[in-house]
Amino acid sequence: MKMTSFRIEKALWDEFKRRYEKIGLSAKLRELIIKELNGHPIEAMVKKQDWKALKEIIFKDEKPIQIVGEVGVGKSLSMKELIKNDSNHVYIVFDCHNEYDFLPEIQSISHEIKHSSRIVLPKQVSASIGLFPVYANQILSQKWPNNFVFVVEEAHRYPQTKLLLKESRKFVKIVVITQEPIASFCPIVKILE
């Protein structure tokens, strides 16, 4: 592998040194380079609540999307703003923290759903892990209307998420919301404050 040289602004380098001097600069640089090479490349960065930019990225193509960011940065808030402002799509949200309480609650998924809705999953992780595969199998078992979008909150909880991301483009648009990327084969959108 050929390495090319690059320049970094002095202020940025000084901040990097200040932040990582205790753990070792070369160790942190090595970690960042390995992470970049093994890749979860961020396709786009979107500011919190910029629902227009988020919508443009999500519907750029039929690929599933991963929305990532630190806890409390505004991932769910950004998605909620998009849902509130997008009347062209029907969003089905898997909500385990009751964050989407402005949406009507449904128990099952059907083609007859005409308005964005939510499926409330138990807050208890083991209970939601047991229930989510039923919905994931249903999503992957049939073709859904072109205007349907399935949104999975806390997607890192569910082992089926990676399969949903891999196979969903055949069936429907999937958006997963998680702290760290789950898969490297679909676009990643990072939410920034």
Side-chain angles (χ1 to χ4, degrees), residues 66-126:
Q66 300 175 86
I67 298 176
V68 302
E70 299 295 321
V71 173
V73 77
K75 301 178 298 286
S76 299
L77 183 62
S78 299
M79 197 67 215
K80 285 189 264 188
E81 287 301 312
L82 172 54
I83 293 169
K84 288 177 183 175
N85 289 288
D86 183 3
S87 59
N88 297 328
H89 295 91
V90 174
Y91 294 86
I92 310 296
V93 181
F94 292 94
D95 184 9
C96 58
H97 290 303
N98 207 25
E99 291 188 69
Y100 294 79
D101 57 357
F102 64 94
L103 293 174
E105 189 175 329
I106 58 173
Q107 299 300 316
S108 61
I109 310 167
S110 78
H111 288 235
E112 286 77 44
I113 298 171
K114 300 293 182 219
H115 303 287
S116 294
S117 304
R118 67 189 174 125
I119 294 174
V120 178
L121 294 171
K123 285 183 182 178
Q124 183 183 13
V125 176
S126 61

Side-chain angles (χ1 to χ4, degrees), residues 19-165:
R19 197 177 283 178
Y20 299 110
E21 221 159 21
K22 290 181 182 162
I23 64 169
L25 294 176
S26 62
K28 187 62 180 176
L29 277 172
R30 195 169 28 257
E31 174 191 329
L32 292 170
I33 291 167
I34 289 169
K35 185 175 182 180
E36 183 67 25
L37 290 174
N38 290 337
H40 288 299
I42 294 182
E43 300 265 330
M45 293 186 200
V46 174
K47 288 195 177 229
K48 175 172 61 175
Q49 290 187 297
D50 187 354
W51 65 269
K52 289 179 183 177
L54 187 58
K55 180 180 179 182
E56 186 176 309
I57 293 165
I58 289 173
F59 297 107
K60 181 172 80 173
D61 55 35
E62 62 279 342
K63 289 181 182 177
I65 299 288
Q66 300 175 86
I67 298 176
V68 302
E70 299 295 321
V71 173
V73 77
K75 301 178 298 286
S76 299
L77 183 62
S78 299
M79 197 67 215
K80 285 189 264 188
E81 287 301 312
L82 172 54
I83 293 169
K84 288 177 183 175
N85 289 288
D86 183 3
S87 59
N88 297 328
H89 295 91
V90 174
Y91 294 86
I92 310 296
V93 181
F94 292 94
D95 184 9
C96 58
H97 290 303
N98 207 25
E99 291 188 69
Y100 294 79
D101 57 357
F102 64 94
L103 293 174
E105 189 175 329
I106 58 173
Q107 299 300 316
S108 61
I109 310 167
S110 78
H111 288 235
E112 286 77 44
I113 298 171
K114 300 293 182 219
H115 303 287
S116 294
S117 304
R118 67 189 174 125
I119 294 174
V120 178
L121 294 171
K123 285 183 182 178
Q124 183 183 13
V125 176
S126 61
S128 64
I129 287 174
L131 185 57
F132 185 75
V134 174
Y135 292 112
N137 287 336
Q138 187 180 2
I139 292 168
L140 292 175
S141 69
Q142 54 192 300
K143 178 83 171 119
W144 295 93
N146 289 338
N147 66 334
F148 270 42
V149 180
F150 288 98
V151 179
V152 182
E153 274 284 348
E154 300 289 327
H156 56 275
R157 286 183 172 197
Y158 314 114
Q160 299 78 14
T161 302
K162 197 166 187 176
L163 179 64
L164 269 178
L165 288 170

